[in-house]
Amino acid sequence: MTGVRGPRRRGLPLRARRRDHARWEQQTPTWREARPALIAGALKRSAARPSGNWYVIGASRDIGRGGRPFGRTVGGAEVVAWRTVTGELRAGPGACPHLGAPLREGRVVCGTLVCRWHGLSLDGRPFAGWEPLPAHDDGVLAWVRLDALGGEPPLERPVVPRRPEGGAVDAVFGAVGRCEPQDVVANRLDPWHGSWFHPYSFVDLTVVEAPEGEGDDDAFTVDVSFKVAGRLVVPVRAVFTAPEPRTVVMHITEGEGATSVVETHATPLGRGPDGAPRTAVTEAVVAASDRRGFAAARAAAPALRPLMRWAAGRLWRDDLAYAERRWHLRSTGRFPG
């Protein structure tokens, strides 16, 4: 990795950058490598992969909190989700079959969803024209299957990325942008922008390998250093893949936190009051480490999650501006390439 002193195999993961590589404007430009056709090709291939009509609606831990149902609009359709007394995920249309009340404003009583307009109760089984939706809880995120929206052959389960096995710390960040899912995915399939657009977080970024066509190796391999403080950084190698049309995953394959993943999921919400599309970004960070001290991080996970969400939000402040700008250029016929 450029500009970082060689690491020792043991000891702290921090490294000190050389002073002559410390300035933002002195890094090597990446615009020649970030070819529009290459990014567009990766985006097209990701869009062709099956999703089975599954959509992320939020973090698993947010559903069932406080005895209230969880509501989300997906593709213009209201969806409501809640948990049974045994913790199983249930989901269905968000409008009450009686007079159309918003079920997200109801209450969950002993695992049954109760509408606050007239007390109609739903236990997750079909009732009065109300039909449940297939739902899946992968332990970090909650998904629903919307076959009418997706229009693909359905899959029994969503395409969940490979995650660290046991002992990981996870946090989920959410935001909404004025764009479409492809604009969010395109942002993540452009790793070359990392240290230019996010100099507060990334330095010394080099795309080691980029996909040029079909195949199982359709991935971006990146060497990059995460900034800690001053010249102190943590160098890693990461691989970006798009396992389905609305998901991009970063796997850390070498360096501190190897096997950790960052999943970015884009869920279409529908049109906003201004007629422009809205997309929910749900980013799950699943961190792992083989260091003995990581057990303390697991114990402190409730305190660490707000910090992890803050770090993700700092990046997405810029990346949503990127995605929104891309959508604006596309919608006005001015998108380059």
Side-chain angles (χ1 to χ4, degrees), residues 159-318:
V159 181
V160 179
R162 185 182 75 256
R163 293 172 178 159
E165 295 182 4
V169 175
D170 68 270
V172 179
F173 168 80
V176 175
R178 190 173 180 263
C179 59
E180 294 179 335
Q182 67 154 293
D183 302 301
V184 172
V185 174
N187 170 273
R188 280 298 186 259
L189 295 180
D190 168 18
W192 292 276
H193 78 269
S195 58
W196 284 101
F197 207 42
H198 308 295
Y200 45 82
S201 292
F202 307 121
V203 291
D204 304 325
L205 186 150
T206 302
V207 178
V208 178
E209 187 175 0
E212 294 286 352
E214 302 286 350
D216 295 334
D217 59 347
D218 194 25
F220 295 85
T221 302
V222 177
D223 285 346
V224 65
S225 292
F226 294 93
K227 291 185 73 172
V228 178
R231 294 190 298 120
L232 295 179
V233 297
V234 177
V236 302
R237 173 162 287 187
V239 176
F240 291 79
T241 57
E244 57 109 75
R246 293 175 294 276
T247 299
V248 176
V249 184
M250 182 191 78
H251 283 93
I252 296 181
T253 59
E254 296 180 28
E256 183 66 19
T259 74
S260 299
V261 300
V262 178
E263 303 173 11
T264 303
H265 302 271
T267 301
L269 303 182
R271 299 277 171 177
D274 58 0
R278 298 296 193 272
T279 293
V281 175
T282 305
E283 186 154 282
V285 179
V286 187
S289 175
D290 58 3
R291 291 181 178 273
R292 285 180 295 179
F294 192 72
R298 290 196 298 270
L304 286 176
R305 286 189 182 109
L307 180 61
M308 294 167 72
R309 287 194 294 267
W310 173 84
R314 190 182 188 194
L315 290 171
W316 275 107
R317 176 195 63 197
D318 291 335

Side-chain angles (χ1 to χ4, degrees), residues 20-62:
D20 59 350
H21 288 87
R23 297 182 62 178
W24 174 82
E25 69 274 13
Q26 292 178 342
Q27 62 185 315
T28 303
T30 57
W31 64 269
R32 288 185 177 86
E33 290 77 17
R35 303 194 309 273
L38 192 155
I39 297 169
L43 182 64
K44 182 178 179 180
R45 291 190 295 275
S46 72
R49 298 187 177 110
S51 73
N53 306 321
W54 288 94
Y55 297 83
V56 169
I57 58 172
S60 296
R61 65 175 55 87
D62 288 341

Side-chain angles (χ1 to χ4, degrees), residues 78-218:
E78 290 181 282
V79 174
V80 67
W82 72 98
R83 295 193 183 276
T84 66
V85 290
T86 57
E88 294 178 63
L89 182 65
R90 294 285 184 266
C96 180
H98 175 223
L99 287 176
L103 291 172
R104 69 175 68 188
E105 296 180 5
R107 292 290 179 90
V108 179
V109 181
C110 297
T112 297
L113 176 57
V114 181
C115 177
R116 66 189 296 262
W117 278 19
H118 300 92
L120 184 144
S121 297
L122 298 167
D123 62 7
R125 291 176 292 184
F127 181 80
W130 185 93
E131 293 287 337
L133 294 168
H136 180 78
D137 185 343
D138 65 25
V140 177
L141 299 172
W143 307 66
V144 296
R145 200 181 79 201
L146 298 169
D147 294 336
L149 176 62
E152 300 177 22
L155 296 177
E156 184 177 352
R157 292 289 185 267
V159 181
V160 179
R162 185 182 75 256
R163 293 172 178 159
E165 295 182 4
V169 175
D170 68 270
V172 179
F173 168 80
V176 175
R178 190 173 180 263
C179 59
E180 294 179 335
Q182 67 154 293
D183 302 301
V184 172
V185 174
N187 170 273
R188 280 298 186 259
L189 295 180
D190 168 18
W192 292 276
H193 78 269
S195 58
W196 284 101
F197 207 42
H198 308 295
Y200 45 82
S201 292
F202 307 121
V203 291
D204 304 325
L205 186 150
T206 302
V207 178
V208 178
E209 187 175 0
E212 294 286 352
E214 302 286 350
D216 295 334
D217 59 347
D218 194 25

